[in-house]
Amino acid sequence: MHSHDEGSRLGASDWSRRGFLKAGGLGTLGLASAELMAAGARASGGTATRRAGSVIFISLVGGPSQLETFDPKPDAPSEIRGPFGSIATSVPGVRISEYLPGLARRMDRLTLVRSMTHAEAPIHETGHQLLNTGGLSRADADRPHFGAVASHRLETDGRSPRFVMIPGPIGHTGVSISHGQAGGMLDPKLGPYTTDATPGTVGYDARAIALRAGSLGRGDNPFNLDDERSSTRDAYGRTTLGQGCLLARRLVESGTRVVALNMFDTVFDKVTWDAHGRKPFSSLEDYRRTLLPTLDLAVSALVDDLQGRGLLDSTLIVATGEFGRTPRLNQWGGRDHWPAVWTALLAGGGLPGGQVIGASDAHAAEPYERPVAPVDLTATIYRVLGIDPALVLDTPGGTGLAIAPDARPLI
């Protein structure tokens, strides 16, 4: 796999799988993954629509390791298994990382998709495009984020914008191409409303943010976390992710249809999920010490809070990275980019809890059963929002835009 520096030296004009293979990046794994995808060719998503719900999409920027999070392989050799143990969950036979005890207790309300996969370039930007837009953008035309499509198609009588991104878009992650976070070719004005500051930190002015959003004068300010009990804020964790999840709950409660929460804005020189094991990136020790406890606390609290308020069934929570990590530890004890397989966590939105969709092989190297493409996840999001995944939209340029081409939704 290419490092960030190697990827940044490649041109951005052709990020197709074939283009990256010519650059020497994907190798035999990409070919194997492509064959698996071809073997599991996806049927059409159909024309049925679903309840008009809301979505909280948590982007675990950097790409968490499947082995150190939701798909441990305790019987694999140590160089594959990694340094962490696994624990039982509330669902018999399902084990996850020992550092996710809260989510383990709540597994009966969660869904794990252990066979996420794509065969495009193993860079952050490609994964984000696929997840956020249902496909790859062209150099001259970005595909719109699913939140922009929701803003275009859905109405709201709430006190907050239809599509909010917390705290703002992902910035530079190695290659200067789109992350698929805006209105794109559909309409730039449909892009997200952003808070521009991390909730609960200096610089986060809830009144000014609400005024800019047109939310003042319509009841309680959904952006004001000071309205929450201190114990509630503590339950989520006083972190960017924790307070962002709390704000996401408040926004959904006030009528927002899509909340996109970016855990980080870059992968360089800060603790993120991009665990190459050497600077300027992170390590698996950062997972143990910071990332896993933060994720465990925040998502556990979000699931509990939404359920307690009667909102979980109508609100889909998605927490996923843009790819997985190499099944074998590298020379620094870290793991590199690996889009052949990873795990996404889902909860709510009408999904039955306590289930695992798909499976990876014995070393978490590629899907073993039911490969799930990013567009399948995007189509699932559209279903929850009450938007037909088979929809083809007219664009200002006069071309048709298939919002989730050839998808196979999970519901």
Side-chain angles (χ1 to χ4, degrees), residues 279-291:
K279 297 298 182 181
F281 309 110
S282 299
S283 68
L284 294 182
E285 176 61 17
D286 291 323
Y287 278 33
R288 183 194 67 80
R289 186 173 56 245
T290 303
L291 295 166

Side-chain angles (χ1 to χ4, degrees), residues 121-140:
I123 57 174
H124 301 284
E125 300 81 6
T126 297
H128 288 140
Q129 283 186 28
L130 293 170
L131 287 162
N132 289 334
T133 76
L136 291 180
S137 293
R138 303 194 312 265
D140 61 339

Side-chain angles (χ1 to χ4, degrees), residues 41-81:
R42 299 183 300 279
S44 168
T47 58
T49 56
R50 194 175 167 84
R51 72 172 55 81
S54 299
V55 173
I56 298 173
F57 187 90
I58 303 168
S59 183
L60 305 178
V61 178
S65 164
Q66 63 279 18
L67 287 140
E68 273 75 35
T69 54
F70 301 113
D71 194 10
K73 302 294 183 181
D75 298 325
S78 60
E79 66 271 19
I80 290 168
R81 180 179 69 246

Side-chain angles (χ1 to χ4, degrees), residues 12 120 192-193 217 231 281 288 359 382 390:
E120 303 294 344
Y193 179 86
S231 59
F281 309 110
R288 183 194 67 80
Y382 280 129

Side-chain angles (χ1 to χ4, degrees), residues 204-229:
Y204 182 82
D205 186 334
R207 188 179 187 282
I209 293 169
L211 183 64
R212 185 160 48 90
S215 297
L216 286 185
R218 301 187 188 183
D220 294 338
N221 179 357
F223 294 94
N224 187 12
L225 298 186
D226 289 337
D227 286 344
E228 298 288 335
R229 295 177 180 175

